[in-house]
Amino acid sequence: MIRATACDGLVRAFAVDSTTLVNELQTRHGTDPAVTAALGRLATGTLLFGAMLKEEDQLVTVRVRGNGPAGVLLASANGSGEVRGLVANPRPDIDQARNGKLNVSGAVGTTGQLTVTRDLGLRQPYVSTIELVSGEIGEDLAEYLARSEQVPSAVGIGVFVLPDHSVEAAGGYIVQLMPGVNDSEAARIDAVVRELPHPTTMLRGGDSPEDMLGRIFGNSYELLDRKPVRFHCPCSKERVERAFLLLGETAIDEMIAESETKGSTEVVCQFCNAIYYLTAADLQDLRERAARRESAA
Ligand code: ZN
């Protein structure tokens, strides 16, 4: 993933090749092609939003709740190029393609909300919601940037899925015009972006993120940084236990009852499908910690 500026810093640009990690999302969640494209576009766009964060440990989460059968889709990225994602229904019963394209809006829906949460390490995260424009994800992210952040932005993201359900190419770019860009330069960029091939066409043809921005700006852009991107889920048994503690004694009692019939309780991380086993002893310990918390509160 690269971050760049052009036109004396008045244009910001980001581009990424997310093929490997979108493939990993597909494998982990077992998504059908239309959902692979939806979740992959969302994860790619969220990574690019992550590139706009000032610090590496800041976090941006984009949640799409459309009226389609895939249900909620969510992706979360930090400023260091790590992303994870989830989808409520990875294999909805829909036509995978429509008009020769993956049926992304058929999976996501065409109405609903897109919510961006930015956790900048302050007391309150910054949360903003817009109505979905099309459910195609790229247009919805562009609308968010234009409406909520008031930065006119071109968003081009795509995912190319092979017949065996693996991902041949995924990636894209965001180009943002900051206040002060002169009209003729803005019009030139707009015209160039309109004529650009689809991001997956560029990537499948061998373009790097630098090549994608080169098609827009020629040599006249300044590369600010380049970093690897990867799927990463920060879940752990400790985090699972902390979440259980927050549920309180009653909920833990129910888990203890369940573990007595099954031997242990299985908790699956929705982001990465990692399985954590909590034994009866783990749960008993958690119950005591929860009780101490509740009596201290
Ligand atoms: Zn996880």
Side-chain angles (χ1 to χ4, degrees), residues 25 52 63 67 80 128 152 173 182 200 219 221 236 255 257 264:
L25 281 170
M52 299 170 193
R63 182 173 183 273
N67 63 340
S80 68
S128 179
Y173 57 84
N182 72 53
T200 58
N219 293 326
Y221 74 89
S236 65
M255 308 296 293
S264 68

Side-chain angles (χ1 to χ4, degrees), residues 28 84 231-236 268-276:
R28 284 182 179 271
R84 61 180 182 165
F231 173 90
H232 175 67
C233 184
C235 70
S236 65
V268 181
C269 174
Q270 285 182 290
F271 282 100
C272 68
N273 288 335
I275 302 173
Y276 297 95

Side-chain angles (χ1 to χ4, degrees), residues 51 65 118 139 212:
R65 178 188 280 275
R118 276 183 299 168
E139 288 168 354
M212 287 196 266

Side-chain angles (χ1 to χ4, degrees), residues 210-230:
E210 284 89 343
D211 294 331
M212 287 196 266
L213 294 191
R215 287 175 186 254
I216 303 170
F217 303 110
N219 293 326
S220 59
Y221 74 89
E222 184 191 348
L223 185 65
L224 298 178
D225 65 40
R226 177 177 226 280
K227 61 178 81 168
V229 291
R230 67 177 183 125

Side-chain angles (χ1 to χ4, degrees), residues 14-241:
F14 310 86
V16 65
D17 178 345
S18 55
T19 306
T20 305
L21 71 93
V22 173
N23 237 322
E24 185 164 352
L25 281 170
Q26 193 281 324
T27 314
R28 284 182 179 271
H29 294 286
T31 45
D32 276 349
V35 177
T36 304
L39 185 60
R41 288 182 192 176
L42 184 63
T44 301
T46 305
L47 262 179
L48 293 167
F49 279 20
M52 299 170 193
L53 296 169
K54 295 212 163 49
E55 306 291 337
E56 296 218 321
D57 59 353
Q58 294 175 339
L59 209 61
V60 60
T61 300
V62 184
R63 182 173 183 273
V64 173
R65 178 188 280 275
N67 63 340
V72 170
L73 292 104
L74 189 149
S76 192
N78 60 22
S80 68
E82 295 174 333
V83 68
R84 61 180 182 165
L86 64 82
V87 54
N89 181 3
R91 290 177 295 278
D93 184 17
I94 53 165
D95 292 334
Q96 295 301 312
R98 199 171 51 188
N99 306 326
K101 289 179 177 172
L102 286 171
N103 190 10
V104 171
S105 58
V108 173
T110 51
T111 62
Q113 288 84 38
L114 179 147
T115 300
V116 176
T117 304
R118 276 183 299 168
D119 186 347
L120 308 178
L122 305 171
R123 194 176 293 255
Q124 292 283 348
Y126 172 85
V127 184
S128 179
T129 298
I130 60 151
E131 294 296 313
L132 290 180
V133 181
S134 67
E136 293 287 331
I137 307 295
E139 288 168 354
D140 303 299
L141 293 171
E143 173 76 4
Y144 167 82
L145 292 170
R147 186 178 288 257
S148 193
E149 308 209 341
Q150 280 155 23
V151 184
S153 305
V155 178
I157 48 179
V159 175
F160 191 92
V161 182
L162 293 170
D164 69 1
H165 288 198
S166 67
V167 175
E168 185 182 317
Y173 57 84
I174 295 180
V175 176
Q176 301 194 292
L177 305 180
M178 310 311 278
V181 180
N182 72 53
D183 291 347
S184 66
E185 190 58 29
R188 190 198 71 80
I189 291 170
D190 189 54
V192 172
V193 169
R194 272 175 208 283
E195 294 301 317
L196 274 186
H198 191 271
T200 58
T201 305
M202 295 192 270
L203 290 163
R204 292 172 71 219
D207 272 20
S208 65
E210 284 89 343
D211 294 331
M212 287 196 266
L213 294 191
R215 287 175 186 254
I216 303 170
F217 303 110
N219 293 326
S220 59
Y221 74 89
E222 184 191 348
L223 185 65
L224 298 178
D225 65 40
R226 177 177 226 280
K227 61 178 81 168
V229 291
R230 67 177 183 125
F231 173 90
H232 175 67
C233 184
C235 70
S236 65
K237 188 168 177 185
E238 231 181 303
R239 282 182 187 232
V240 168
E241 290 184 344

